[in-house]
Amino acid sequence: MNIVLDCFGGDLCPDSAVEGAIQAVGEIEDLKVTLCGDENVIAQILKDKVYDKDKIALLNASEVITNDDAPVMAIRRKKDSSMVVALKALANGDFDGMVSSGNTGALLVGATLLVKLIDGVQRASLSPLLPTIYDDKNTILVDGGANVDCKASMLKEFAIMGSAYMSAVKGVENPKVALLNNGAEEEKGNALTKEAHALLKQTDVNFIGNIEARDLLFGVADVIVADGFDGNMCLKTAEGMGKAVFTLLKEFIMKGGLRAKLGYLLLKPSLRKLKKIMSSDSVGGGVFLGVKKVVVKAHGASNALAFKNALIRAYEMSKADLPSKIAGALAKEAGNI
Amino acid sequence: MNIVLDCFGGDLCPDSAVEGAIQAVGEIEDLKVTLCGDENVIAQILKDKVYDKDKIALLNASEVITNDDAPVMAIRRKKDSSMVVALKALANGDFDGMVSSGNTGALLVGATLLVKLIDGVQRASLSPLLPTIYDDKNTILVDGGANVDCKASMLKEFAIMGSAYMSAVKGVENPKVALLNNGAEEEKGNALTKEAHALLKQTDVNFIGNIEARDLLFGVADVIVADGFDGNMCLKTAEGMGKAVFTLLKEFIMKGGLRAKLGYLLLKPSLRKLKKIMSSDSVGGGVFLGVKKVVVKAHGASNALAFKNALIRAYEMSKADLPSKIAGALAKEAGNI
């Protein structure tokens, strides 16, 4: 497996990207990573590192797409940017997958225009893997924010794609698919979720019905389907709650005197575990579902660990041949109706 | 001020409702509460209590609307239910306001059909007061779940009503109003929020622009305007996160040996404060905005404290003559455009 890594565009780039790649190839036997970006800068970082030279290669690109760039313009104009060069090489079949921590909108537009969508997919989704209260269980949220104003037929595609991901990549048998809604009962919902509920009942996916946002982290479903606007509300509320919890706890400990401070010291390892689960590192960006090749979005503030995890995720998706599995599932579903 | 209290329909009713009323009239000089429901049952509870008999009255009603009842049917058919009897008495001018912990949908329908909406209001909103990380600051969320598939013009009304609430009831000068959105930038949003953003800019309210869900609890705005579906996503995600945090923390403490357990004991008062802020008791249902009289929804699991707080909230709203203030603000706005 050969994954191309856009080494520019993230907050801690390129150092963290390069370091993450070295860690990833050290961990996985049959993984090669090609570092895309200014080769002089990257070579300079690599100079002092110890790594297997057969498993790291370079692909030169002179420009960088930043978060201030307008997505469509950036993809069209910055033809020698690390993102566009990597996407084109991926589209040409030079690589099995790609990872980028750059401008999310540009990556979505670039993946759609240059790598193209799987037949039958209206829009690619950006899907984060949510942590749950169970160590060994994740839930994929399709869509986490890429597409607002979704049609019900798009939510149906999201369900099929998310189900294919959990089954092919995560080995979940007959993944449970739920629809994010304002009530668990079938008759609850807005116009979109009511229509989507009816459509989902007719598909081959293991549709278990509506799920309320309060159950997101409790591992009730393997796949949660949502309009990207709603998915975004949930992700960002959770992020804000995590921040609020630790802000308040810190304040209470400061005000709580010696007793609270001692308690904090003793409880620190447990609180650290909690913080880790609730941090964006564990969610770690998301995967684009619906694109003809594997594209993984690492979050903008990715450190080396986050890049390593994103590369491993791309490796697993490529190894499982996910785009073909999604294409197959969509074709099968189309034949059914 | 005379508030009518629907003593049936909540999980801990009627005991907690009666006890909450006794506490409320004990705390507020010029507050009377009329307890609505089966007068034999209520009299039985009152029998052993110590309270000011001039400040508590009874209003008999023989039926109860439950959470299993369909809202419109319940209001039409259960004419002698505690909720309908209380609403009708409120509409007739017998009371200054009403509190109920019963079926939310039925209360919304009943308030709309029996008490009626203020001129110029398309739909009543159900608005919870959110806690923030600052002790003395709340944010009102309009709408928290009553109305899905909102039109932009409804969001405009929500903004005006929420602003009137924070100004008249909470004494906030020129309340800051923000629109819940998937990005802070003006050009971000779905079709609804983009249209609403443009409308809000033309109003007299102090519109500060879009707010992301991650900032809900950070006191950035006094009023947050949202479609009820989106508001519901945020409220329920926050609720679920709170539950997940304490579930995980408990697990880590159990697994963390003596050290963690000792740390927990020392930190217990701080954690209890945190839990209190994050519990639904502090949010405590919400107020209906847009109805001709004051109607407060206490949450379904209200205990005596929650009922007391809901009664005080209804008292404050009646005292501030909120429905007139809202009517005035809407009329002024209508003249402006």
Side-chain angles (χ1 to χ4, degrees):
Chain A
M1 291 289 138
N2 196 346
I3 308 290
V4 60
L5 173 62
D6 170 10
C7 288
F8 288 81
D11 303 344
L12 306 174
C13 282
D15 295 74
S16 59
V18 173
E19 180 57 34
I22 292 171
Q23 290 178 14
V25 299
E27 204 163 290
I28 297 199
E29 182 77 42
D30 62 332
L31 171 64
K32 287 183 183 179
V33 176
T34 296
L35 306 171
C36 186
D38 185 322
E39 57 188 7
N40 294 325
V41 175
I42 296 174
Q44 192 64 28
I45 298 169
L46 282 172
K47 211 174 48 141
D48 305 321
K49 307 267 184 187
V50 180
Y51 63 96
D52 184 342
K53 290 188 170 56
D54 293 339
K55 297 173 79 177
I56 297 276
L58 299 193
L59 177 62
N60 191 47
S62 63
E63 293 176 289
V64 176
I65 291 178
T66 71
N67 279 324
D68 298 328
D69 284 319
V72 179
M73 291 287 261
I75 294 298
R76 287 207 180 134
R77 298 258 172 99
K78 290 191 167 174
K79 292 198 190 303
D80 201 40
S81 62
S82 54
M83 188 187 283
V84 171
V85 169
L87 283 166
K88 283 191 172 160
L90 180 68
N92 288 341
D94 302 347
F95 299 102
D96 300 298
M98 172 183 170
V99 170
S100 174
S101 67
N103 185 319
T104 309
L107 189 61
L108 179 66
V109 168
T112 303
L113 295 180
L114 303 174
V115 187
K116 307 269 196 268
L117 301 182
I118 293 166
D119 284 350
V121 173
Q122 298 175 70
R123 295 279 194 87
S125 81
L126 176 56
S127 303
L129 268 184
L130 306 179
T132 73
I133 60 163
Y134 307 105
D135 269 353
D136 53 348
K137 193 171 163 56
N138 288 122
T139 297
I140 194 165
L141 174 65
V142 199
D143 178 82
N147 302 290
V148 300
D149 297 313
C150 284
K151 292 183 283 183
S153 58
M154 287 165 68
L155 298 193
K156 187 181 98 171
E157 291 165 17
F158 293 171
I160 295 165
M161 298 196 296
S163 186
Y165 178 91
M166 291 308 280
S167 152
V169 182
K170 295 289 169 188
V172 177
E173 240 178 281
N174 204 18
K176 285 185 256 181
V177 177
L179 175 65
L180 184 68
N181 199 23
N182 66 337
E185 305 85 352
E186 184 169 345
E187 67 277 12
K188 284 267 177 112
N190 59 12
L192 175 68
T193 57
K194 282 179 188 168
E195 191 186 343
H197 188 105
L199 272 184
L200 285 169
K201 281 193 354 188
Q202 299 166 25
T203 62
D204 276 346
V205 302
N206 180 14
F207 180 51
I208 61 166
N210 297 328
I211 190 174
E212 294 194 76
R214 66 161 70 97
D215 292 324
L216 278 178
L217 306 181
F218 288 86
V220 181
D222 301 300
V223 180
I224 297 176
V225 173
D227 175 280
F229 193 90
D230 304 321
N232 183 278
M233 291 299 114
C234 293
L235 288 177
K236 292 210 179 128
T237 302
E239 185 190 335
M241 275 292 281
K243 201 175 143 199
V245 163
F246 286 100
T247 304
L248 286 171
L249 197 55
K250 197 174 159 190
E251 191 191 311
F252 293 146
I253 290 164
M254 297 305 284
K255 282 184 191 160
L258 199 60
R259 178 187 162 150
K261 284 185 192 71
L262 184 60
Y264 169 68
L265 282 177
L266 292 169
L267 209 52
K268 213 170 168 180
S270 303
L271 291 171
R272 202 181 289 137
K273 263 190 228 169
L274 185 66
K275 197 164 186 172
K276 198 183 148 200
I277 288 182
M278 291 169 60
S279 82
S280 55
D281 278 343
S282 77
V283 175
V287 301
F288 283 105
L289 296 180
V291 183
K292 282 192 170 169
K293 297 266 186 166
V294 168
V295 179
V296 171
K297 169 72 177 77
H299 63 81
S302 289
N303 55 19
L305 177 67
F307 272 112
K308 185 192 83 170
N309 288 336
L311 283 164
I312 293 175
R313 193 172 288 171
Y315 165 84
E316 289 170 345
M317 291 165 69
S318 307
K319 193 94 178 170
D321 201 6
L322 183 64
S324 301
K325 299 275 165 60
I326 289 178
L330 287 166
K332 185 162 171 253
E333 191 65 44
N336 272 354
I337 291 181
Chain B
M1 292 290 136
N2 197 347
I3 309 291
V4 61
L5 174 61
D6 171 11
C7 288
F8 288 80
D11 304 344
L12 307 173
C13 281
D15 295 74
S16 59
V18 174
E19 179 59 34
I22 292 172
Q23 291 178 13
V25 298
E27 203 163 291
I28 297 198
E29 184 76 42
D30 63 333
L31 172 64
K32 287 183 185 179
V33 175
T34 297
L35 306 172
C36 187
D38 185 322
E39 57 187 6
N40 293 326
V41 175
I42 296 173
Q44 191 64 28
I45 298 169
L46 282 172
K47 209 174 48 139
D48 305 320
K49 307 266 183 189
V50 180
Y51 63 96
D52 184 342
K53 291 188 171 52
D54 293 338
K55 298 174 78 176
I56 297 274
L58 300 193
L59 178 61
N60 191 47
S62 63
E63 292 176 289
V64 176
I65 291 178
T66 70
N67 279 323
D68 296 329
D69 283 320
V72 179
M73 289 288 261
I75 294 298
R76 288 206 179 135
R77 300 259 171 97
K78 290 190 167 174
K79 293 200 191 299
D80 201 40
S81 62
S82 54
M83 189 187 283
V84 170
V85 170
L87 282 166
K88 282 189 174 161
L90 180 70
N92 288 341
D94 302 346
F95 299 102
D96 300 298
M98 171 184 172
V99 171
S100 174
S101 66
N103 185 319
T104 308
L107 189 61
L108 178 67
V109 169
T112 303
L113 296 179
L114 303 173
V115 188
K116 306 271 196 267
L117 301 182
I118 293 166
D119 284 349
V121 173
Q122 299 174 70
R123 297 278 193 89
S125 82
L126 176 56
S127 301
L129 269 183
L130 305 180
T132 73
I133 59 163
Y134 307 105
D135 269 353
D136 53 348
K137 193 171 163 55
N138 288 123
T139 297
I140 194 165
L141 174 65
V142 200
D143 179 82
N147 302 290
V148 300
D149 297 313
C150 284
K151 291 184 285 182
S153 58
M154 287 166 67
L155 298 194
K156 188 181 100 170
E157 291 165 18
F158 293 171
I160 295 165
M161 299 196 296
S163 186
Y165 178 92
M166 291 308 280
S167 153
V169 182
K170 294 290 168 189
V172 177
E173 239 178 281
N174 204 19
K176 285 185 256 182
V177 178
L179 175 66
L180 184 68
N181 199 23
N182 66 337
E185 305 85 351
E186 185 168 345
E187 68 277 11
K188 283 267 176 112
N190 58 13
L192 174 69
T193 58
K194 283 180 189 168
E195 191 186 342
H197 188 105
L199 273 183
L200 286 169
K201 281 192 356 188
Q202 299 166 25
T203 63
D204 276 347
V205 303
N206 180 14
F207 180 52
I208 61 166
N210 298 327
I211 190 174
E212 295 193 76
R214 66 160 70 96
D215 293 323
L216 280 177
L217 305 180
F218 288 86
V220 181
D222 301 299
V223 180
I224 296 177
V225 173
D227 175 278
F229 193 90
D230 304 321
N232 182 278
M233 292 299 115
C234 293
L235 289 176
K236 291 210 180 129
T237 302
E239 185 191 336
M241 274 293 281
K243 202 175 144 201
V245 163
F246 287 101
T247 304
L248 286 172
L249 197 55
K250 198 174 158 191
E251 190 191 312
F252 293 148
I253 290 163
M254 297 304 284
K255 282 185 191 160
L258 200 61
R259 175 184 165 153
K261 284 186 193 71
L262 183 60
Y264 168 69
L265 282 176
L266 292 167
L267 209 52
K268 213 170 168 179
S270 303
L271 291 172
R272 202 182 289 135
K273 265 190 227 168
L274 184 67
K275 198 165 186 171
K276 198 182 149 203
I277 289 183
M278 290 170 59
S279 83
S280 55
D281 277 342
S282 77
V283 174
V287 301
F288 282 106
L289 296 180
V291 182
K292 280 190 172 172
K293 297 265 185 169
V294 169
V295 180
V296 171
K297 168 73 177 77
H299 63 82
S302 288
N303 54 19
L305 176 68
F307 272 111
K308 186 192 82 170
N309 287 336
L311 284 163
I312 293 175
R313 192 170 290 171
Y315 166 84
E316 289 171 344
M317 290 165 68
S318 308
K319 193 95 178 168
D321 201 6
L322 183 64
S324 302
K325 299 276 165 59
I326 288 177
L330 287 166
K332 185 164 172 249
E333 191 64 45
N336 272 354
I337 290 182

